[in-house]
Amino acid sequence: MKSRVAVVAEGMTKFGKREASWRDLAAEAGKATLEGAKNLSREDIDTLIVATADEEVYLSAYVAEILGLRPKHAFKLENLCDSGGSAISTAYAYISSGLAKAALVLGVEKMTHRDFAPQLYWDFTRGGITPPIVWGAMYARRHMAEFGTTEEQLAMISVKNHNFAASNPYAHFQKPIDIDQVMASKKLIPPIKLFDCSPLSDGAAGLILTSEEKAGEVTDTPVYVAGVGQSTTGATFGNVNREFTSWPATVLAAKDSYAMAEVSPKMIDVAEVHDAFTINEIIAYEDLGFAERGRGGQFVQEGRADVGGDVAVNTRGGLIGAGHPIGATGVAQAAQLVRQLQGEAGKNQVSGAELGLMHNLSAAASTCSVLIFKREN
Amino acid sequence: MKSRVAVVAEGMTKFGKREASWRDLAAEAGKATLEGAKNLSREDIDTLIVATADEEVYLSAYVAEILGLRPKHAFKLENLCDSGGSAISTAYAYISSGLAKAALVLGVEKMTHRDFAPQLYWDFTRGGITPPIVWGAMYARRHMAEFGTTEEQLAMISVKNHNFAASNPYAHFQKPIDIDQVMASKKLIPPIKLFDCSPLSDGAAGLILTSEEKAGEVTDTPVYVAGVGQSTTGATFGNVNREFTSWPATVLAAKDSYAMAEVSPKMIDVAEVHDAFTINEIIAYEDLGFAERGRGGQFVQEGRADVGGDVAVNTRGGLIGAGHPIGATGVAQAAQLVRQLQGEAGKNQVSGAELGLMHNLSAAASTCSVLIFKREN
């Protein structure tokens, strides 16, 4: 009988422009996460996975030492913006297989010392234009042309997520905004404006996952990993993007995750989706089965993605409001779902939430993780 | 019931100074490995783990695309010189947990464009002297002082491994040498001379691991992963090294791996150990339980680590003879054990080998993987 896998603790740093190195951020989030698991000692942590796109080598052993851990299994895992989702999936595998009993997943990234996010310079199918905003704009235009999605609907995503972020003390941005502000923000590549984008952020976030048996000793409110779905459809933009209104990797990952969790999209109470740009969240509604194809714009407009709607999406502020420190993003998404399922999400709490879904993308959505978390008590 | 995990194919490039990028090397080894699994299609590979210390991001998706794979799970894994051992352990976890059915583990490194291996500049406990040869020399001197190990015994490791490499077409070095040549080689840091060291090498190596059920469809000679033991005792040299004649991470990892495989050291027929320097192999004999403490020098001198001895060690040539492309090393070690257990190891074949052990280290042995492979037919 395979062990079920629970999340028993989470912790994080404030995201944003931080006067701190990746080492400082890792220590801060690691300490916060370990303190969140009151009945678990450092000796219990037998696995450490550091999710990051940082180029430094051997940093998992370094992180182990500064946190006072001596794990059996420890390594760095990188899958660009989906590093967090991949690391949680890997921790699940270690525990479910029986090799491990308790894993600390720590996502960390120092970004604001760079001018822009890492780019895939080798991908000539992008026409030599590698910044992610270019594909964001292509998808937004195509979705508008095909389904009548409006710039105002895109702006509503930004408004919703900034407003959620305003009550999250860990978020990069902490002020409510309105549609006029989004529409008037700096035009970058039409229809994408500054407030349609997630920012470069520094930050770190941690999760502790354990076997079901160990979880029972540590917490009264374990949250189980119910579904794990992942897909890599390729790496080059030209090879994985055809219709420009859907991401096959999301559809494939979601199918596997729903099947494993034995749930349907309509049953999800709360979700964290990868809103690198506002259009991403609209397409995610559709690819994940929350909204019908082409109706993502209406979905946000009708308030169906708000607390009290069909599914509350990005209640910590999403990447747009909370920030996007690459390796930390997926881990922070999962942390928010855990808080929601434990009833600890504060002002943005979804009453009685039982099922949470996270959706983490990489590189023009050529890779996707869809994880489903479940509260049972 | 958890699935057992089998290795069904292996493949590699020649190691050495190669006029090839890491991309070329990954493609060459990936193709060779996939061709080794005749009844497995590319669609069957649902997991891709790229083990490397290369700083490039999102390379697992790139490798998937150039090899024609569309895996569910794909990421880069880095744990310095133990990246290969960590990646195989992780593939085991994915398959054993049921998340995956067939994983390609690909270790790759381009090294010869650098002047030296990656160093841990942040480790001030090394006294500001970060090249690995410094700790190699400290261990060698201490072992000689405490146990009477001789420079000639160190040289015998190099002779044995170069001679094994001479019949391995994939090895970096391909000429037999004698003790006089080792003793006369360039003095670096006493007692370590040039021929006591593994070289900087380019290279890549792959393994395909599958569930037991899938293995039965693919090969008549599956090799099972019987034991997985890993340990990270720290990162800084000063914190993990006390006695200078043993590596606690090896002892801990070996204990777990033997227990999981339910075997004892004396039962191992063939082993690949991490001979970054000649002294490493002597200490490995002792830490792994092949030789008594302090008797590692005699162990090689008496021929007990040769084919026909107690346990044939480093029959592909080890890191000293075959080369040390960081991320590829552990994968190549496992590949050699698979060849031995399948009776395909050519001139250095150990007759009737049933149990193989691999020992992969990182960074002054602060991290160690000990994996045990078993043939059952």
Side-chain angles (χ1 to χ4, degrees), chain A residues 223-276:
Chain A
V223 168
Y224 289 96
V225 182
V228 177
Q230 297 194 288
S231 175
T232 297
T233 49
T236 55
F237 184 76
N239 198 32
V240 300
N241 290 276
R242 296 283 156 80
E243 299 178 15
F244 291 97
T245 55
S246 169
W247 285 303
T250 296
V251 175
L252 291 166
K255 182 165 173 282
D256 282 352
S257 195
Y258 286 130
M260 180 171 161
E262 299 180 336
V263 301
S264 66
K266 307 296 180 203
M267 296 165 68
I268 303 295
D269 300 302
V270 57
E272 292 283 312
V273 310
H274 196 100
D275 59 328

Side-chain angles (χ1 to χ4, degrees), chain A residues 16-21 24-25 110 112 202:
Chain A
K17 182 165 174 53
R18 295 284 309 267
E19 297 299 321
S21 67
D24 300 327
L25 296 165
K110 179 70 182 175
T112 62
D202 306 324

Side-chain angles (χ1 to χ4, degrees), chain A residues 2 23 56 58 65 70-73 76 78 89-90 94 97 122 230-233 235-236 256 366-367, chain B residues 2 23 56 58 65 70-73 76 78 89-90 94 97 122 230 232-233 235-236 256 366-367:
Chain A
K2 276 180 296 206
R23 293 186 164 81
E56 183 145 340
Y58 208 49
E65 188 160 324
R70 288 181 59 152
K72 292 173 191 265
H73 317 286
K76 173 169 93 173
E78 185 275 321
S89 168
T90 301
Y94 265 93
S97 74
W122 43 260
Q230 297 194 288
S231 175
T232 297
T233 49
T236 55
D256 282 352
S366 49
T367 293
Chain B
K2 276 181 294 206
R23 293 186 164 80
E56 182 144 340
Y58 208 48
E65 188 161 324
R70 288 182 58 151
K72 293 173 192 266
H73 317 287
K76 172 170 92 172
E78 185 275 320
S89 168
T90 301
Y94 266 93
S97 74
W122 42 261
Q230 297 193 288
T232 297
T233 48
T236 54
D256 284 352
S366 50
T367 293

Side-chain angles (χ1 to χ4, degrees), chain A residues 84-341:
Chain A
S86 297
I88 298 168
S89 168
T90 301
Y92 173 93
Y94 265 93
I95 294 166
S96 176
S97 74
L99 280 185
K101 300 288 184 213
L104 172 61
V105 173
L106 193 64
V108 59
E109 215 74 59
K110 179 70 182 175
M111 297 286 291
T112 62
H113 61 306
R114 313 179 194 231
D115 290 330
F116 39 70
Q119 293 175 51
L120 307 178
Y121 294 104
W122 43 260
D123 185 1
F124 297 116
T125 73
R126 290 164 193 249
I129 307 167
T130 52
I133 191 172
V134 177
W135 61 257
M138 291 170 76
Y139 270 81
R141 283 195 194 206
R142 185 72 210 140
H143 207 274
M144 291 165 72
E146 189 153 343
F147 301 119
T149 303
T150 66
E151 285 194 53
E152 288 76 10
Q153 288 171 338
L154 295 176
M156 287 171 198
I157 298 285
S158 182
V159 169
K160 173 176 72 67
N161 293 353
H162 276 278
N163 289 358
F164 278 142
S167 54
N168 171 6
Y170 299 105
H172 189 148
F173 298 123
Q174 305 205 326
K175 289 185 186 166
I177 59 170
D178 62 26
I179 285 192
D180 292 344
Q181 285 173 283
V182 182
M183 295 300 287
S185 68
K186 186 177 177 185
K187 286 177 173 43
L188 298 172
I189 299 185
I192 303 220
K193 297 167 288 290
L194 184 63
F195 280 13
D196 288 300
C197 305
S198 54
L200 291 184
S201 315
D202 306 324
L207 282 187
I208 295 174
L209 297 94
T210 72
S211 63
E212 182 168 13
E213 184 187 15
K214 179 77 73 180
E217 303 166 10
V218 175
T219 178
D220 296 328
T221 55
V223 168
Y224 289 96
V225 182
V228 177
Q230 297 194 288
S231 175
T232 297
T233 49
T236 55
F237 184 76
N239 198 32
V240 300
N241 290 276
R242 296 283 156 80
E243 299 178 15
F244 291 97
T245 55
S246 169
W247 285 303
T250 296
V251 175
L252 291 166
K255 182 165 173 282
D256 282 352
S257 195
Y258 286 130
M260 180 171 161
E262 299 180 336
V263 301
S264 66
K266 307 296 180 203
M267 296 165 68
I268 303 295
D269 300 302
V270 57
E272 292 283 312
V273 310
H274 196 100
D275 59 328
F277 304 103
T278 49
I279 184 64
N280 289 39
E281 182 163 328
I282 285 177
I283 293 176
Y285 295 156
E286 303 172 14
D287 285 341
L288 293 168
F290 299 153
E292 284 173 48
R293 181 65 55 204
R295 304 282 294 174
Q298 284 90 338
F299 194 79
V300 66
Q301 186 164 5
E302 293 163 5
R304 296 169 66 186
D306 269 318
V307 173
D310 294 14
V311 52
V313 179
N314 285 335
T315 61
R316 73 188 174 100
L319 283 60
I320 286 174
H324 184 24
I326 294 179
T329 284
V331 184
Q333 291 180 313
Q336 175 68 7
L337 295 174
V338 170
R339 284 190 291 269
Q340 282 281 3
L341 299 177

